[in-house]
Amino acid sequence: MSILIYAESSDGKFKKVAFELASYASKVAESLGTTVTALTINNTNSDELAQYGVSKVLAVSNEKLNTFTAKAYADVLKQAAEKEASKLVILSSSTDSIYLSSLLAVNLNAGFASNVVGLPISTSPFQVKRNAFSNKAFNITEINTEVKIIALAKNSYGLHENSASLTAEDFNPSLNDADFSIHIDSVEKATGKVAIADADIVVSGGRGLKGPENWHLIEDLASALGAATACSKPVSDLGWRPHSEHVGQTGKPVATNLYIAVGISGAIQHIAGINASKVKVVINNDPEAPFFKVADYGVVGDAFEVVPKLIEKIKAF
Ligand code: FAD
């Protein structure tokens, strides 16, 4: 039996999370004395997975799967797991994969744990650590079913190269019309150059920016860093920025390597959505702003003075 991962793609290219899953699964495989098989859908770049420890790819090529359909994808993964006799299936915590994981868990009669961080605490019994309570606490979950499914929290393991020799095999799962009976159209409203979901760095602005006319500060800093732009809830409520940029408890969750908050107070509902980010930086002119309590680095100062200087320094670097 090998560990099965679902290596997600977008427009025929692997998402970064596919390599993170491969890195993670190959480490888990080492401790279980097994190998990693990746399921890919409409992606011809299988070789890229080898450097992260994947030794076999099941490559599905089917035009009907160009659009994500949870039921069909869950059926494909079920058939792949059965073919490989996989007792452990690992997916990401992307919106699509979380949707798909619960259906797959039903299909395979498997226990499922989402938001997993770190390597399993123990493989027998199988215990994993998970983010809980909006990333403010951890929870230890034990899965006792024969087949186990876990969804890894984004950016929680990182990329680790571990070359393996790879064999790729065409895989043609049987699908019927009922698999495509529910169709969901998704529209990604990307305002910045980098999508929040794929970003390593996010620069986010709050009400301290005073108005939309000052948003060039956020955009210029983001562009100097190759980052995505985001905002606090009031900023999108006021119409300064689109709702697709709103992050926090009621907005998009962010788990980046670097989150820079400019003129954001750090209300609990905002922090809940960005707490999983590795390094948090705040720029705020009020030293008492709650954000400073959770930040790794903070600048007490006027955003209108600090941000242009920061951009200048980054560009000169
Ligand atoms: P403010 O609270 O107005 O803070 C502005 C900050 O800018 C202040 O700290 C100020 O010191 C600083 N500032 C002012 N001028 C400058 C300057 N020149 N330079 C530098 N700093 C400056 N909020 C979210 O963001 N996301 C959510 O998902 C979310 N969900 C919510 C859900 C519920 C049920 C509720 C009740 C609230 C939610 N909120 C959410 C709102 C949240 O409680 C806060 O009101 C909000 O996050 C505050 O946004 P802000 O920090 O941009 O604005």
Side-chain angles (χ1 to χ4, degrees):
M1 80 103 191
S2 62
I3 295 175
L4 180 69
I5 64 165
Y6 165 44
E8 282 179 56
S9 309
S10 172
D11 294 330
K13 290 190 182 133
F14 288 117
K15 292 185 182 173
K16 189 184 138 202
V17 76
F19 303 128
E20 184 173 24
L21 276 196
S23 307
Y24 177 85
S26 72
K27 195 70 190 169
V28 179
E30 260 174 50
S31 61
L32 291 173
T34 184
T35 53
V36 182
T37 299
L39 176 85
T40 66
I41 296 180
N42 296 337
N43 188 323
T44 52
N45 305 307
S46 301
D47 288 352
E48 292 173 13
L49 293 167
Q51 60 180 309
Y52 298 100
V54 172
S55 57
K56 181 173 177 186
V57 166
L58 294 181
V60 177
S61 175
N62 182 336
E63 268 190 18
K64 279 182 150 180
L65 296 169
N66 273 341
T67 310
F68 175 77
T69 313
K71 193 169 182 311
Y73 274 51
D75 258 6
V76 172
L77 264 156
K78 175 181 188 265
Q79 291 173 50
E82 285 171 349
K83 177 175 161 44
E84 294 299 297
S86 301
K87 300 289 177 253
L88 179 60
V89 182
I90 308 180
L91 296 98
S92 80
S93 287
S94 71
T95 313
D96 286 353
S97 280
I98 288 292
Y99 186 9
L100 159 65
S101 306
S102 35
L103 284 175
L104 183 63
V106 174
N107 285 352
L108 290 172
N109 205 13
F112 166 51
S114 61
N115 258 327
V116 169
V117 287
L119 294 164
I121 294 169
S122 143
T123 50
S124 181
F126 191 84
Q127 291 180 331
V128 285
K129 187 167 148 185
R130 308 166 59 207
N131 277 331
F133 300 111
S134 301
N135 304 320
K136 287 199 284 292
F138 294 117
N139 146 299
I140 309 292
T141 298
E142 188 170 312
I143 310 181
N144 295 314
T145 46
E146 192 191 358
V147 180
K148 300 161 182 59
I149 302 177
I150 59 175
L152 186 68
K154 194 180 162 220
N155 272 336
S156 62
Y157 189 72
L159 305 186
H160 302 271
E161 292 199 9
N162 173 18
S163 287
S165 61
L166 182 129
T167 54
E169 184 180 313
D170 288 340
F171 179 50
N172 296 305
S174 60
L175 293 166
N176 55 47
D177 288 348
D179 284 317
F180 300 94
S181 55
I182 300 174
H183 180 86
I184 298 175
D185 279 329
S186 69
V187 179
E188 180 77 20
K189 284 193 187 166
T191 47
K193 288 187 183 133
V194 184
I196 295 177
D198 297 329
D200 268 338
I201 306 175
V202 170
V203 179
S204 190
R207 210 151 40 180
L209 270 273
K210 318 286 186 218
E213 66 281 7
N214 297 319
W215 228 259
H216 61 93
L217 286 175
I218 300 296
E219 278 162 354
D220 290 352
L221 182 55
S223 133
L225 290 166
T229 54
C231 67
S232 66
K233 183 172 184 297
V235 164
S236 62
D237 288 347
L238 287 162
W240 297 357
R241 298 299 288 177
H243 280 287
S244 54
E245 285 200 13
H246 155 204
V247 296
Q249 189 182 327
T250 49
K252 279 198 176 124
V254 170
T256 54
N257 286 324
L258 175 61
Y259 182 79
I260 304 178
V262 185
I264 297 180
S265 57
I268 191 162
Q269 298 90 353
H270 185 86
I271 300 300
I274 60 98
N275 221 7
S277 295
K278 288 213 171 110
V279 178
K280 295 176 271 288
V281 177
V282 58
I283 300 168
N284 195 307
N285 62 1
D286 175 7
E288 300 298 322
F291 214 123
F292 285 105
K293 291 204 178 91
V294 296
D296 299 281
Y297 300 94
V299 181
V300 178
D302 185 341
F304 296 92
E305 290 172 18
V306 176
V307 175
K309 282 186 188 154
L310 196 55
I311 295 169
E312 206 182 296
K313 289 279 178 203
I314 292 166
K315 284 187 175 164
F317 194 64

